Amino acid sequence: MTLKLYNTLGRKLETFTPRHSDEVGLYTCGPTVYNTAHIGNLRTYIFEDILRRTLQLDGYRVKHVMNITDVGHLTGDGDMGEDKIAKASRETKRDAYAIAREFEVAFFSDIQKLNILPPTITLRATETIALQIELIEKLESNGFTYRTSDGIYFDTAKLPTYGQLSGQSSADKKAGARVEVNDEKHTPTDFALWKFSKPEDQRQMEWPSPWGVGFPGWHIECSAMSLSEFPNGLDIHCGGIDHIAVHHENELAQNEAAGRKDFVKFWMHGEFLVTDKRMGKSEGNAVTLSDLGVDPLFYRYLCLLTHYRKQLSYSQDSLQAAGNALMNLWMKLDGEKLDRSIKPISKYIESFTSALNNDLNTPEALGIMHEMMSDKEYERSEKVSTLAVFDTVLALDLTPEAAAPHIATTGHEALLLEYITARKEHRFDDSDKIRQQFSDLGILVEDTPSGSRLRKA
Ligand code: AMP
Ligand code: ZN
């Protein structure tokens, strides 16, 4: 089956084939770890997970690399403002590394709750400084850099192809550019590769470099990591749509200026999740996964109902409706068994796979799943087998075994939370009492390395 994906570079659907036989190189931009990820950020990681799982369904092995931005991302998202982690450190009077590690752990915990596969390789910006310096040196020797009083900049005018990803020329961007007061830039689209530590700043995260003590710009980390992890080229590079105009445009420019034209085959971007206002960690109106107060997979299901290239307008009602639909599916699996000797229904596997291969059409794939579930021509056991195959991509716990804890938890979320809190606080008398309460209701509490879950006794 042919896999068609929308390539931002060229703005069209294209047939995807990887460069190297059966392994796909995938690079996804990771979180800036100064705060808990909001549900908008998580929508992008869910889209990338569907992409990865679709590639796997198609039989590819996937080498998936993700960065952790623990330095260099400035509050203005450009070259001005304060480093987001340094700012959090100044405001909370906490160690910058401690903040970054705390939110990195929180990020991995969130993605685990959403059944998002962890990357094959995760690299931190602060631990790849040498690679980044090496790349800046290469750009310098190729004649693409200049020095200002606050750093080393990339000279976008030197690269005739600059602007190809967003389809905006340097001149268009000049007209629409956010006003950044930096008279020393040759062109407004130029961007920092290395910023010098200011004498008045007391930065914890700074390193010596051939140009002076400082820290890397935000875009250089992703180019440095991807160029070093994929020496033979990268198949797909992803992020949210806000990355097209600046972060990815600049990454692409760095790659080309380093002599790696066509290094990335496909650039893919997920549309935003929106609320009545722009949701942002910095705007202070960010809703986190735990704020939702529902089973995290309800949120995953909600995201899959909208195609990744369409805006998703979030509301509590839509979340609840998605939750009800998913709970219905889980209930249908109650008391069933997955018998691996029973063949999945090939007609539905085919249409499901074809929907996903059509630029990851998850709304259509979910429609096919519901059609299959209500098709009277097939036995329940065949449906259970088919659902298990669908779930390798949907990852909504649609097997009897995986669904069971969700069913058992319904209606008991508050008591389970009390149990978890009691254990966390080492109040084992209390947690034992709650365990007994559950037992009286015919429910077992299982303590697993990924958390406590309920199961019908
Ligand atoms: P950050 O942690 O800010 O670097 O962002 C992590 C990812 O979330 C990036 O791929 C962003 O493009 C993406 N992102 C940011 N805001 C939203 C949103 N409201 N909806 C979807 N994705 C978003
Ligand atoms: Zn990136």
Side-chain angles (χ1 to χ4, degrees):
M1 206 175 282
T2 3
L3 171 59
K4 294 238 180 223
L5 297 173
Y6 185 85
N7 194 346
T8 309
L9 188 63
R11 284 169 285 286
K12 59 175 191 297
L13 271 183
E14 285 177 33
T15 301
F16 174 80
T17 42
R19 283 165 200 275
H20 307 285
S21 60
D22 61 346
E23 184 169 274
V24 176
L26 172 68
Y27 185 98
T28 60
C29 284
T32 309
V33 282
Y34 68 104
N35 210 333
T36 312
H38 60 62
I39 56 172
N41 303 134
L42 294 170
R43 179 187 186 201
T44 293
Y45 299 108
I46 291 172
F47 135 64
E48 293 161 350
D49 188 56
I50 292 289
L51 169 65
R52 172 165 166 190
R53 288 170 179 274
T54 299
L55 291 164
Q56 292 177 179
L57 180 73
D58 287 350
Y60 296 118
R61 266 182 301 124
V62 179
K63 176 177 172 184
H64 175 191
V65 177
M66 188 188 76
N67 62 302
I68 297 282
T69 302
D70 51 1
V71 69
H73 192 168
L74 306 188
T75 47
D77 282 341
D79 305 306
M80 304 301 277
E82 199 175 352
D83 183 309
K84 294 188 180 199
I85 287 150
K87 179 169 182 261
S89 164
R90 179 175 58 72
E91 286 173 352
T92 59
K93 298 193 171 48
R94 289 182 60 202
D95 182 274
Y97 285 93
I99 293 174
R101 299 302 171 258
E102 176 188 334
F103 291 110
E104 182 184 318
V105 169
F107 171 78
F108 280 106
S109 154
D110 277 350
I111 66 166
Q112 187 188 32
K113 287 180 189 150
L114 288 165
N115 283 349
I116 293 172
L117 297 170
T120 331
I121 297 170
T122 307
L123 295 166
R124 295 181 180 132
T126 52
E127 290 169 1
T128 48
I129 298 294
L131 276 180
Q132 299 175 62
I133 291 180
E134 208 180 294
L135 181 56
I136 301 170
E137 283 179 314
K138 172 117 196 152
L139 298 177
E140 186 176 44
S141 68
N142 289 356
F144 284 93
T145 64
Y146 61 89
R147 188 186 185 103
T148 70
S149 60
D150 77 341
I152 302 298
Y153 279 76
F154 186 99
D155 195 343
T156 53
K158 292 257 169 73
L159 191 73
T161 55
Y162 188 81
Q164 56 184 314
L165 190 64
S166 57
Q168 281 182 300
S169 68
S170 209
D172 292 339
K173 284 202 172 174
K174 202 183 225 167
R178 236 176 301 175
V179 189
E180 279 195 347
V181 194
N182 186 344
D183 294 340
E184 292 181 77
K185 274 198 200 182
H186 296 179
T187 316
T189 44
D190 294 352
F191 55 91
L193 297 164
W194 187 263
K195 296 259 320 194
F196 304 133
S197 297
K198 290 186 199 140
E200 68 272 21
D201 281 355
Q202 294 201 323
R203 286 189 65 90
Q204 247 185 297
M205 291 170 162
E206 60 179 13
W207 296 266
S209 82
W211 313 280
V213 173
F215 59 99
W218 173 33
H219 321 301
I220 199 73
E221 65 173 287
C222 288
S223 280
M225 289 178 197
S226 55
L227 287 165
S228 92
E229 282 299 329
F230 299 100
N232 299 319
L234 175 59
D235 292 301
I236 312 177
H237 190 128
C238 302
I241 52 157
D242 56 327
H243 283 352
I244 299 174
V246 180
H247 184 52
H248 286 172
E249 190 76 85
N250 293 348
E251 264 191 69
L252 178 54
Q254 290 165 157
N255 300 345
E256 293 204 353
R260 299 298 305 274
K261 198 162 166 35
D262 301 327
F263 170 67
V264 178
K265 269 187 115 175
F266 276 72
W267 290 88
M268 291 181 68
H269 297 92
E271 246 293 356
F272 262 30
L273 172 111
V274 290
T275 47
D276 41 353
K277 276 196 246 109
R278 183 198 147 106
M279 184 181 298
K281 295 187 235 181
S282 330
E283 282 81 357
N285 65 348
V287 178
T288 66
L289 190 61
S290 50
D291 291 337
L292 295 180
V294 296
D295 191 311
L297 292 188
F298 289 7
Y299 181 64
R300 183 172 173 112
Y301 188 98
L302 175 72
C303 289
L304 303 191
L305 286 167
T306 302
H307 190 258
Y308 78 91
R309 283 197 292 119
K310 292 217 167 85
Q311 251 189 20
L312 168 55
S313 180
Y314 170 76
S315 74
Q316 271 188 328
D317 287 350
S318 59
L319 178 65
Q320 203 45 58
N324 292 343
L326 181 55
M327 187 50 82
N328 264 328
L329 281 165
W330 285 335
M331 296 303 278
K332 285 188 183 141
L333 290 167
D334 199 14
E336 298 288 338
K337 262 208 144 48
L338 173 61
D339 179 347
R340 300 217 176 254
S341 69
I342 292 183
K343 275 213 158 124
I345 309 164
S346 54
K347 166 181 136 182
Y348 284 111
I349 297 291
E350 226 166 82
S351 50
F352 179 85
T353 311
S354 133
L356 289 169
N357 276 281
N358 180 18
D359 197 27
L360 315 179
N361 195 335
T362 52
E364 192 183 321
L366 289 179
I368 292 163
M369 175 185 71
H370 287 295
E371 191 189 320
M372 186 272 294
M373 289 306 282
S374 53
D375 190 335
K376 300 216 164 44
E377 276 210 18
Y378 297 95
E379 300 289 330
R380 269 199 104 61
S381 55
E382 290 176 287
K383 294 181 183 179
V384 173
S385 285
T386 312
L387 214 46
V389 177
F390 291 176
D391 204 46
T392 59
V393 179
L394 301 177
L396 292 165
D397 286 356
L398 297 173
T399 62
E401 206 196 3
H406 297 283
I407 300 166
T409 306
T410 307
H412 304 295
E413 290 85 354
L415 193 58
L416 178 61
L417 186 63
E418 257 184 66
Y419 173 83
I420 293 166
T421 314
R423 272 173 55 91
K424 219 189 248 168
E425 293 170 359
H426 298 278
R427 290 183 284 108
F428 295 112
D429 282 354
D430 291 344
S431 63
D432 283 348
K433 268 187 213 143
I434 300 172
R435 176 180 284 279
Q436 186 55 48
Q437 269 174 278
F438 275 124
S439 164
D440 296 344
L441 293 166
I443 296 169
L444 281 179
V445 186
E446 288 180 344
D447 299 314
T448 72
S450 60
S452 300
R453 292 173 162 226
L454 303 183
R455 186 171 286 280
K456 284 186 182 169

